[in-house]
């Protein structure tokens, strides 16, 4: 695994770096080809709380987890547990699909022999309980943020008046805003 570890408002000490690498290396058992797996880690401190964000882009899926705790080492432990749950769930899903398709080709970077048995918590069904349909009004991102705030939502879907693409604005955990637009 190749690690890209950076800090915002925190000095990434050698002890922190080693702890992150040691904990995240537990995920190696889920990967077939370790040479090209990139792990992007961002650590930040805001208002006395440490936040760690880990992103692992893979073929067909991006693993991402974020945890905040007043102790950075505890946040690291929590984020690794979250990533392990995601990997178990993903691998269980892949294996079910393979069994269902009766011998379909395995994912190239996933090792089938290391699949954990699915726990009850990993067997989550996603039920859509409501569907909304609405017309997209052309507007700029600032107007979309105002609409989102007026509605009291965390995100808002709109048609960008400049590009005519469907975009999404959302409120980030740090209180600022993000914009999602297609390529």
């Amino acid at each position: 695994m190749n690690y890209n570890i950076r800090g915002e408002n925190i000095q990434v000490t050698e002890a922190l770096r080693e702890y992150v690498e040691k904990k995240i290396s537990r995920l190696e058992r889920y990967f077939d080809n370790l040479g090209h797996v990139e792990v992007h880690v961002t650590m930040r401190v805001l208002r006395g709380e440490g936040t760690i964000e880990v992103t692992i882009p893979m073929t067909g899926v991006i693993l991402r987890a974020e945890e905040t705790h007043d102790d950075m080492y505890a946040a690291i432990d929590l984020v690794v547990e979250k990533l392990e749950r995601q990997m178990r769930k993903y691998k269980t899903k892949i294996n079910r699909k393979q069994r269902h398709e009766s011998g379909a080709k395995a994912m190239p970077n996933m090792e089938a022999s290391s699949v954990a048995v699915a726990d009850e918590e990993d067997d989550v069904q996603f039920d859509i309980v409501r569907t909304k349909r609405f017309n997209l009004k052309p507007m700029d991102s600032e107007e979309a943020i105002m609409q989102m705030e007026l509605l009291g939502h965390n995100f808002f879907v709109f048609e960008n008046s400049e590009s005519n693409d469907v975009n999404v604005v959302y409120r980030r955990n740090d209180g600022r805003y993000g914009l999602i637009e297609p390529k």
Side-chain angles (χ1 to χ4, degrees), residues 2 13 22 45 49 54 59 67 69 82 90 102 105 123 134:
N2 299 322
T13 64
K22 175 184 164 196
V45 175
E49 289 189 322
V54 179
T59 305
E67 279 295 331
H69 199 276
K82 194 179 273 189
Y90 178 70
S102 65
K105 191 175 176 182
D123 195 17
F134 56 92

Side-chain angles (χ1 to χ4, degrees), residues 55-68:
T55 306
I56 305 173
M58 301 181 335
T59 305
V61 69
I62 295 177
L63 295 176
R64 183 188 178 282
E66 182 176 328
E67 279 295 331
T68 301

